[in-house]
């Protein structure tokens, strides 16, 4: 969890907005540190978290969270964390002989054209289960985290099917259950000659219209810098508004146990 980012977004584990859809995206940089931030943030806040880890193993997220002071193993053991390990579980889906289970979470691995109903049902079932843990704990608002959604494109799932999935998740998580969503997508290099009919840039643009807070991480326009790792552009939109009414850009540097943020123009490392 990064206190400086909490200050920028005016949120803490003890006081944060509900019904938020937060989009994290990157281009020529790695925004994974923001996923780790939100994972530790919501677990510290006592929320019930459903984490779809589609690109890394549980041990990877666990090791990073441990440095941030959060134990994913304990959170999963007591029922606070539901973790879907896409890399590991997809192998079993590919090797299984029974193809009739079309509504299992990772059925899109075998049949990408069938859509993401199984994945949505997994999220819905995980979040509608009793909010009390095994030891009688009462969890806060439910939270859905996905890292990273754009990997589904490489498996043959269409942009339209992914946007339908996020709309269903948003209706359930944010509107009905008054919880939050955090989704990471990775954008391709922009090319004026590339129509990008089914690419990650089109997916990111579609999600920008759905979310109310967007955090976009990019490499510095001036190139590599030892002291500054990139810039983060933040868009805020009030509920019910069709346009983003606030936009700020920050430089950042990621440390082993956190990250530092600077308002653009206030760091001596970048002119």
């Amino acid at each position: 969890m990064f206190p400086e980012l909490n200050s920028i977004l005016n949120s803490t584990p003890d006081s944060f907005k509900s019904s938020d859809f937060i989009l994290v995206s990157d281009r020529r940089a790695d925004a994974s540190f923001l996923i780790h931030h939100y994972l530790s943030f919501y677990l510290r806040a006592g929320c019930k978290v459903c984490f779809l880890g589609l690109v890394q193993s549980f041990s990877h997220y666990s090791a990073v969270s441990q440095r941030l002071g959060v134990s994913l193993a304990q959170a999963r053991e007591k029922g606070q964390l539901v973790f879907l390990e896409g890399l590991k579980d997809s192998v079993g889906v590919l090797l299984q002989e029974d193809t009739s289970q079309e509504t299992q979470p990772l059925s899109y691995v075998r049949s990408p054209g069938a859509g993401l109903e199984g994945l949505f049902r997994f999220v819905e079932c995980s979040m509608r289960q009793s909010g009390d843990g095994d030891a009688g704990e009462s969890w806060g608002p439910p939270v859905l985290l996905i890292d990273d959604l754009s990997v589904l494109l490489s498996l043959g799932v269409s942009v339209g099917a992914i946007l339908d999935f996020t709309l269903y998740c948003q209706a359930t998580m944010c509107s009905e259950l008054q919880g939050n969503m955090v989704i990471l997508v990775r954008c391709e290099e922009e090319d004026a000659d590339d129509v990008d009919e089914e690419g990650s840039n089109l997916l990111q643009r579609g999600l920008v219209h759905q979310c109310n807070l967007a955090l976009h991480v990019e490499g510095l326009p001036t190139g590599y810098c030892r002291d500054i790792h990139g810039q983060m552009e933040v868009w805020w939109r009030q509920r019910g508004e069709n346009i983003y009414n606030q936009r700020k850009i920050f430089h950042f540097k990621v440390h082993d146990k956190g990250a530092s943020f600077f308002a653009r123009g206030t760091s001596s490392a970048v002119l």
Side-chain angles (χ1 to χ4, degrees):
M1 186 178 69
F2 309 145
E4 292 184 22
L5 181 58
N6 290 341
S7 179
I8 291 172
L9 301 178
N10 192 29
S11 63
T12 68
D14 298 322
S15 177
F16 60 91
K17 294 180 179 178
S18 60
S19 301
D20 270 357
F21 178 2
I22 303 169
L23 174 64
V24 176
S25 59
D26 62 29
R27 179 182 288 112
R28 303 191 318 273
D30 187 359
S32 297
F33 68 96
L34 294 175
I35 288 294
H36 296 298
H37 161 76
Y38 278 112
L39 178 58
S40 62
F41 178 96
Y42 285 118
L43 289 176
R44 286 179 182 272
C47 297
K48 175 73 176 288
V49 177
C50 177
F51 187 10
L52 307 184
L54 304 180
V55 294
Q56 296 287 356
S57 65
F58 179 81
S59 59
H60 166 79
Y61 296 109
S62 181
V64 176
S65 295
Q66 199 73 40
R67 294 201 297 269
L68 298 178
V70 174
S71 172
L72 297 193
Q74 290 182 4
R76 185 164 67 170
E77 183 178 350
K78 64 186 181 181
Q80 184 184 10
L81 173 65
V82 178
F83 185 83
L84 177 68
E85 192 165 354
L87 285 177
K88 179 181 178 181
D89 295 345
S90 60
V91 176
V93 174
L94 290 172
L95 295 178
Q96 72 178 12
E97 296 182 0
D98 183 8
T99 61
S100 63
Q101 297 178 335
E102 297 180 355
T103 57
Q104 64 177 340
L106 300 179
S107 58
Y108 61 83
V109 176
R110 294 182 66 105
S111 305
L116 300 172
E117 180 183 355
L119 192 60
F120 170 71
R121 296 302 178 194
F122 173 83
V123 172
E124 184 182 37
C125 180
S126 300
M127 294 292 95
R128 290 190 187 279
Q129 289 176 351
S130 174
D132 293 336
D134 295 337
E137 296 95 341
S138 180
W139 308 127
V143 175
L144 171 64
L145 277 80
I146 306 179
D147 178 21
D148 83 69
L149 198 61
S150 53
V151 74
L152 299 180
L153 295 171
S154 63
L155 297 174
V157 183
S158 69
V159 170
I162 297 175
L163 292 177
D164 286 344
F165 166 74
T166 57
L167 280 172
Y168 275 104
C169 288
Q170 186 176 17
T172 301
M173 296 294 302
C174 301
S175 299
E176 184 178 349
L177 301 179
Q178 300 294 296
N180 291 344
M181 290 170 47
V182 182
I183 293 178
L184 170 67
V185 295
R186 302 194 182 279
C187 302
E188 303 163 349
E189 288 285 346
E190 289 185 320
D191 187 347
D193 297 326
D194 184 10
V195 178
D196 192 26
E197 292 182 350
E198 283 292 321
S200 59
N201 293 329
L202 178 61
L203 175 61
Q204 189 252 4
R205 289 194 293 270
L207 292 173
V208 164
H209 288 290
Q210 294 180 15
C211 72
N212 56 295
L213 173 62
L215 309 175
H216 181 67
V217 171
E218 285 200 6
L220 292 171
T222 54
Y224 173 78
C225 178
R226 183 182 62 183
D227 298 316
I228 301 294
H229 292 159
Q231 67 181 31
M232 180 183 70
E233 192 168 1
V234 185
W235 297 282
W236 288 269
R237 176 168 57 191
Q238 298 296 326
R239 294 187 183 89
E241 297 290 336
N242 293 323
I243 60 174
Y244 288 89
N245 50 22
Q246 193 174 4
R247 172 180 174 270
K248 291 184 179 180
I249 298 179
F250 301 88
H251 290 142
F252 68 88
K253 181 177 182 179
V254 179
H255 311 290
D256 185 49
K257 295 184 178 181
S260 300
F261 295 86
F262 319 90
R264 191 170 66 171
T266 61
S267 172
S268 59
V270 180
L271 300 179

